[in-house]
């Protein structure tokens, strides 16, 4: 029996698959599309996601093929009327090794993650759609479009906003779909713009954006984003007649959706990523929040205790609700702040049953090299461990996803571990 069947091979599903694969968990990952996507949807990787990708072993290629967001250049017709940045470029530090938002086309992020998964011995099964499933006390029986019946211990729906898994569970998807608010995305080629700026056309007087054209790193393609769903060639010709579109490589229109599932777990079935929450495009939160879902869930599924699995919904629903509020404000309010509000470094699991002690639930924000890998990290106490941070008293146990689980007297650590079904040898000491 497959231990975990993952439905959906976007960044969320792939992150989860890598997390399970590097722990030796038996898994399958299926995708209804016959082949990997070609167009660019999400393209912003937040600092916290970059820390996750460091742990997963893909950060070097992510940084080598991506780039920091370019300076903005705003036009009226062919005249430059303003230049500047939407964020401040920051230097790395011990606490924040990846301080800047990185632009990386989603198709390439997925390809890098697929390559990492392949190195761990697993591949995405494309063209395999889930047509139904039933669960019982011992597992889940899933039917695929091929007619195959798959028996698994747990099923994870990471299959997007139209999730077949969520619908099969009958879980509500509360929120709004703004039928009149549509966005156009297109990957285009043009020889009339430089690749050092993010080019913007709009009217400051009318407080309206006509369209933006952004160079995608390590490609010869630009991404055009515009409100509405009209003729993009005519739109560009109207406001930027000096810019000729040589080729439209890919295009897509979508409605703005802001929704969250009413449950992230029903029995042995879990929801993650867009299957659990969909965001406005503002602030680059959707893809990144999905990666964090998977990073939270992976190590818990690998250990598999019920007490631990129960914490997934509690922790991630609270984060998703917060992030949905943030991305909605960024979409609605022109002066809403990004930067520290969107980098996801301050997200924490305060109040979670897993968070015990003064610093319980906080991101550790230190010792990133020591945190790499699949185990827990113990700071302070007896044995071969690192000394406390900055004179911090007591023992700190860092979860595999980089958050402090336990902070307190060493005498209480064993009870904490056993209470969540975590075998003591899994709580490795830092060397």
């Amino acid at each position: 029996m497959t231990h975990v069947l993952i439905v959906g091979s976007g960044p969320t599903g792939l992150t989860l698959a890598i997390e399970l694969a590097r722990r030796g968990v038996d898994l399958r990952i299926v995708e209804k599309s016959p082949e990997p996507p070609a167009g660019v949807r999400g393209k912003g990787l937040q600092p916290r996601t970059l820390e996750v990708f460091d742990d997963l072993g893909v950060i070097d290629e992510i940084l080598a093929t991506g780039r920091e967001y370019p300076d903005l250049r705003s036009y009226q017709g062919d005249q430059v009327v303003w230049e500047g940045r939407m964020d401040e470029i920051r230097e790395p530090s011990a606490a924040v090794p990846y301080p800047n938002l990185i632009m990386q086309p989603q198709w390439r992020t997925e390809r890098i993650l697929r390559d990492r998964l392949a190195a761990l011995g697993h591949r995405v099964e494309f063209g395999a759609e889930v047509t139904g499933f039933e669960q019982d006390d011992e597992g889940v029986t899933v039917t695929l479009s091929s007619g195959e019946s798959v028996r698994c211990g747990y099923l994870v729906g990471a299959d997007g906003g139209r999730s077949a898994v969520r619908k099969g569970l009958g879980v509500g998807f509360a929120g709004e779909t703004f039928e009149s608010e549509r966005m156009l995305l297109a990957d285009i080629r043009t020889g009339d713009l430089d690749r050092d700026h993010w080019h913007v056309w709009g009217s400051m007087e009318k407080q309206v954006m006509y369209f933006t054209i952004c160079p995608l790193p390590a490609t010869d393609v630009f991404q055009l984003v515009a409100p509405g769903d009209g003729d993009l060639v005519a739109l560009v010709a109207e406001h930027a007649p000096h810019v000729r579109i040589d080729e439209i490589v890919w295009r897509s229109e979508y409605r703005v959706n802001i929704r969250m599932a009413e449950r992230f777990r029903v029995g042995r079935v879990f929801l993650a990523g867009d299957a659990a929450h969909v965001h406005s495009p503002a602030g680059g939160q959707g893809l990144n929040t999905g990666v964090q879902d998977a990073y939270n869930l992976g190590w818990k599924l690998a250990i598999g205790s019920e007490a631990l699995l129960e914490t997934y919904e509690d922790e991630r629903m609270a984060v998703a609700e917060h992030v949905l509020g943030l991305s909605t404000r960024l979409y609605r309010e022109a002066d809403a702040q990004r930067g520290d509000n969107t980098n996801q470094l301050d997200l924490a699991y305060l109040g979670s049953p897993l968070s015990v002690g003064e610093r319980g639930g906080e991101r550790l924000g230190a010792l990133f090299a020591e945190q790499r890998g699949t185990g827990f990290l113990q700071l302070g106490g007896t044995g071969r461990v690192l000394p406390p941070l900055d004179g911090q008293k007591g023992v700190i146990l860092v979860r595999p996803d980089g958050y402090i689980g336990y902070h307190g007297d060493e005498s209480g650590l064993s009870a904490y571990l056993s209470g969540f079904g975590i075998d003591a040898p899994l709580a490795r000491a830092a060397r």
Side-chain angles (χ1 to χ4, degrees):
M1 181 172 73
T2 299
H3 189 60
V4 181
L5 177 64
I6 302 166
V7 185
S9 67
T12 301
L14 289 167
T15 296
L16 179 58
I18 292 169
E19 277 288 85
L20 295 173
R22 65 186 187 142
R23 290 172 167 84
V25 175
D26 184 36
L27 71 101
R28 288 176 67 178
I29 177 169
V30 297
E31 167 62 53
K32 70 177 182 179
S33 298
E35 58 188 18
V40 175
R41 291 171 176 85
K43 62 178 181 295
L45 299 179
Q46 299 289 351
R48 179 59 184 148
T49 299
L50 298 174
E51 293 175 1
V52 173
F53 285 169
D54 183 318
D55 186 31
L56 298 187
V58 299
I59 190 64
D60 289 344
E61 190 170 1
I62 288 287
L63 295 180
T65 56
R67 63 167 291 179
E68 293 161 349
Y69 272 56
D71 291 349
L72 294 167
R73 177 173 280 178
S74 183
Y75 299 81
Q76 292 291 325
D78 61 354
Q79 299 299 307
V80 177
V81 296
W82 179 84
E83 290 188 358
R85 293 196 59 80
M86 67 176 184
D87 59 358
E88 174 188 355
I89 296 295
R90 300 183 178 183
E91 292 298 318
S93 67
V96 185
Y98 309 106
N100 300 307
L101 181 66
I102 294 297
M103 182 183 293
Q104 182 65 271
Q106 184 172 330
W107 60 262
R108 187 187 289 133
T109 297
E110 293 179 9
R111 192 265 298 162
I112 292 170
L113 292 173
R114 282 197 306 273
D115 288 348
R116 174 67 174 133
L117 183 61
L120 291 166
H122 296 272
R123 296 186 181 276
V124 176
E125 299 174 41
F126 287 100
E129 183 176 2
V130 170
T131 57
F133 61 88
E134 293 182 353
Q135 64 173 312
D136 52 50
D137 291 343
E138 303 299 324
V140 188
T141 302
V142 182
T143 304
L144 301 180
S145 52
S146 63
E148 181 186 2
S149 179
V150 180
R151 183 70 173 165
C152 56
Y154 297 97
L155 174 66
V156 180
D159 50 340
R162 299 177 179 177
S163 170
V165 175
R166 187 189 66 245
K167 292 175 182 177
L169 286 173
V171 169
F173 206 33
E176 296 180 88
T177 297
F178 299 91
E179 296 289 347
S180 62
E181 298 183 30
R182 296 175 179 265
M183 298 292 291
L184 169 66
L185 291 178
D187 294 348
I188 66 170
R189 289 191 173 95
T190 177
D192 297 327
L193 295 171
D194 70 74
R195 300 190 62 84
D196 296 323
H197 296 88
W198 189 341
H199 307 276
V200 181
W201 281 264
S203 170
M204 295 292 288
E205 182 180 15
K206 297 179 182 178
Q207 289 290 293
V208 63
M209 189 268 286
Y210 301 135
F211 57 89
T212 70
I213 299 180
C214 181
L216 297 173
T219 74
D220 62 350
V221 172
F222 292 80
Q223 184 184 60
L224 183 147
V225 180
D229 54 2
D231 184 333
L232 68 86
V233 174
L235 181 68
V236 172
E238 178 183 357
H239 297 288
H242 64 294
V243 177
R244 182 181 65 258
I245 296 178
D246 298 322
E247 182 182 0
I248 300 172
V249 180
W250 170 88
R251 66 172 285 162
S252 178
E253 297 95 25
Y254 68 91
R255 299 167 298 175
V256 174
N257 278 282
I258 301 172
R259 293 182 177 273
M260 189 169 88
E262 294 174 350
R263 297 286 308 277
F264 283 15
R265 180 195 183 188
V266 177
R268 291 177 167 271
V269 184
F270 296 81
L271 300 174
D274 285 359
H277 43 78
V278 291
H279 306 245
S280 85
Q285 299 295 287
L287 180 158
N288 295 273
T289 304
V291 167
Q292 304 303 323
D293 288 346
Y295 199 50
N296 181 291
L297 181 58
W299 66 276
K300 296 175 181 179
L301 280 171
I303 294 173
S305 73
E306 179 57 28
L308 200 54
L309 292 173
E310 281 183 357
T311 67
Y312 170 72
E313 181 177 77
D314 179 75
E315 292 186 341
R316 293 311 298 172
M317 283 193 81
V319 168
E321 187 173 13
H322 167 79
V323 174
L324 278 170
L326 171 61
S327 59
T328 301
R329 288 194 303 275
L330 291 170
Y331 181 69
R332 296 293 181 201
E333 302 169 16
D335 59 349
Q337 296 298 306
R338 288 171 167 79
D340 290 343
N341 290 323
T342 57
N343 62 26
Q344 301 199 343
L345 295 176
D346 291 337
L347 295 178
Y349 299 127
L350 307 179
S352 165
L354 262 177
S355 303
V356 173
E358 182 181 351
R359 295 193 60 196
E362 295 180 10
R363 166 181 163 271
L364 181 65
L367 303 174
F368 291 97
E370 289 82 359
Q371 287 186 66
R372 291 190 188 109
T374 59
F376 291 72
L377 181 70
Q378 183 179 329
L379 308 176
T382 58
R384 292 165 50 175
V385 298
L386 290 179
L389 289 174
D390 300 324
Q392 187 77 58
K393 294 181 180 180
V395 168
I396 287 177
L397 184 73
V398 186
R399 300 162 24 161
D401 55 2
Y403 294 89
I404 295 171
Y406 179 86
H407 177 206
D409 294 337
E410 188 174 6
S411 60
L413 183 56
S414 178
Y416 171 85
L417 291 169
S418 62
F420 288 102
I422 302 169
D423 292 335
L426 287 172
R428 65 170 175 79
R431 290 166 170 78

